[in-house]
């Protein structure tokens, strides 16, 4: 990464690294010197596209803040089905479960692109939490928000139509990875119809049928593993179940 120097695998901070990492809500409320101290304890890790940061059920020994690249968090159900839980971009953290105790990773973190991240082990993280209590409080808030998000998705599966769930999933992704283009707002990650189905709790056939319908109506533009929202307000109407 431009501007980065590494002694062994310990980071020597540069402004570009610090700017990305300090976006993460775990560091909210810290003074600049406290934030730099936290970041300086991280260790760089690079993971190539198609490889994993960690696998589900492995001992949770590190958590990460992503500096560059994109990561997909997936979970295998007991009957062998894969579920996509979340996508992460630069300035976002994953594996925070490590700070809670001796636990296994509940999901796998897969690199969609070549990735660079900073990592902290459990002992270092807990020492920094004792030193800066805001980090511990922020960590609890992050875990609570993730739990609330999973509850909301479960509620959607139980109460909403498939078309609503697909629309909600696209709106979430565009808030996180939206990039304005001539065609509309592009979801700037590799997103297959299978991926979208896993996130929305449906199958490939339903996703393909819905996207074809929306493309004919001019609501979305579909490319190879890409979706652009041409009329985002129409997706909001569908997601909210508003009758025209």
């Amino acid at each position: 990464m431009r501007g980065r120097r590494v002694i062994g695998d310990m980071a020597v901070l540069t402004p570009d690294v610090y700017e990305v990492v300090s976006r993460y809500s775990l560091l909210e409320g810290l003074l600049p010197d406290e934030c730099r101290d936290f970041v300086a304890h991280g260790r760089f890790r690079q993971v190539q596209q198609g490889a994993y940061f960690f696998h589900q059920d492995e001992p949770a020994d590190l958590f990460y803040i992503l500096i560059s690249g994109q990561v997909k968090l997936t979970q295998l159900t007991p009957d062998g089905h894969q579920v996509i839980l979340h996508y992460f971009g630069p300035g976002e953290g994953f594996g925070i479960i490590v700070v809670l105790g001796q636990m296994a990773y509940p999901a796998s973190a897969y690199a969609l692109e070549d990735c660079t991240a900073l990592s902290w082990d459990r002992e270092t993280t807990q020492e920094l939490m004792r030193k800066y209590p805001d980090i511990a409080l922020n960590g609890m808030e992050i875990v609570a928000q993730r739990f609330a998000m999973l509850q909301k998705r479960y509620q959607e599966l139980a109460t909403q139509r498939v078309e609503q769930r697909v629309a909600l999933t696209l709106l979430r992704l565009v808030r996180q990875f939206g990039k304005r283009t001539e065609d509309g707002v592009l979801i700037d990650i590799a997103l297959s119809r299978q991926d979208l189905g896993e996130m929305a709790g449906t199958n490939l056939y339903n996703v393909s049928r819905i996207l074809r319908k929306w493309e004919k109506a001019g609501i979305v533009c579909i490319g190879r593993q890409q979706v652009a929202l041409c009329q985002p307000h129409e997706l909001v109407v569908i997601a909210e179940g508003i009758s025209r």
Side-chain angles (χ1 to χ4, degrees):
M1 181 179 177
R2 180 183 58 83
R4 176 171 66 84
R5 292 187 294 126
V6 178
I7 299 176
D9 60 356
M10 288 293 291
V12 177
L13 285 184
T14 57
D16 54 345
V17 171
Y18 174 76
E19 191 278 327
V20 174
V21 176
S22 62
R23 296 178 206 162
Y24 187 35
S25 57
L26 186 70
L27 306 183
E28 186 175 344
L30 266 65
L31 297 173
D33 287 346
E34 295 172 340
C35 189
R36 290 188 186 93
D37 183 37
F38 178 85
V39 175
H41 281 81
R43 292 176 177 266
F44 276 106
R45 182 175 176 189
Q46 293 179 319
V47 176
Q48 292 183 337
Q49 180 181 12
Y52 286 82
F53 281 86
F54 52 78
H55 291 87
Q56 182 176 336
D57 296 328
E58 287 182 347
D61 54 355
L62 294 172
F63 94 92
Y64 300 89
I65 300 178
L66 196 60
I67 298 171
S68 65
Q70 295 173 345
V71 172
K72 178 169 68 174
L73 196 68
T74 64
Q75 188 176 65
L76 280 178
T77 64
D79 57 358
H81 289 95
Q82 178 176 273
V83 178
I84 297 175
L85 300 178
H86 202 64
Y87 287 90
F88 298 95
E92 295 183 301
F94 53 98
I96 193 66
I97 193 74
V98 68
V99 304
L100 301 179
Q102 303 288 333
M103 302 179 68
Y105 289 116
S108 301
Y110 174 83
L112 292 167
E113 303 174 342
D114 290 345
C115 293
T116 301
L118 277 175
S119 68
W120 292 259
D121 61 32
R122 180 185 295 110
E123 182 179 352
T124 301
T125 302
Q126 291 178 349
E127 287 178 0
L128 288 165
M129 284 183 166
R130 285 189 286 267
K131 187 175 182 180
Y132 306 120
D134 279 348
I135 297 175
L137 295 173
N138 291 339
M140 291 172 61
E141 179 69 19
I142 290 168
V143 173
Q145 288 174 356
R146 297 271 172 85
F147 181 71
M149 180 189 70
L150 292 174
Q151 279 190 315
K152 183 174 177 60
R153 287 179 64 178
Y154 177 79
Q155 183 184 48
E156 291 168 1
L157 286 171
T159 63
Q160 295 185 339
R161 296 177 294 108
V162 172
E163 194 169 14
Q164 285 179 277
R165 300 202 305 267
V166 174
L168 281 166
T169 301
L170 289 175
L171 289 170
R172 288 192 186 107
L173 290 172
V174 85
R175 282 194 292 269
Q176 191 176 9
F177 297 105
K179 180 180 179 181
R180 192 163 293 281
T181 68
E182 293 180 357
D183 294 327
V185 185
L186 175 69
I187 298 174
D188 195 21
I189 56 173
L191 182 68
S192 70
R193 298 183 185 193
Q194 180 67 36
D195 292 338
L196 187 54
E198 290 176 11
M199 294 193 75
T202 188
N203 55 44
L204 179 62
Y205 169 78
N206 281 333
V207 170
S208 298
R209 173 180 58 82
I210 290 167
L211 290 181
R212 283 197 301 269
K213 172 185 171 183
W214 290 349
E215 190 170 33
K216 287 181 180 178
I219 297 172
V220 299
C221 298
I222 309 299
R224 186 176 181 275
Q225 292 202 335
Q226 285 191 327
V227 179
L229 277 57
C230 306
Q231 300 181 50
H233 58 283
E234 291 293 335
L235 274 188
V236 173
V237 169
I238 295 168
E240 297 295 332
I242 299 170
S243 178
R244 286 297 194 186

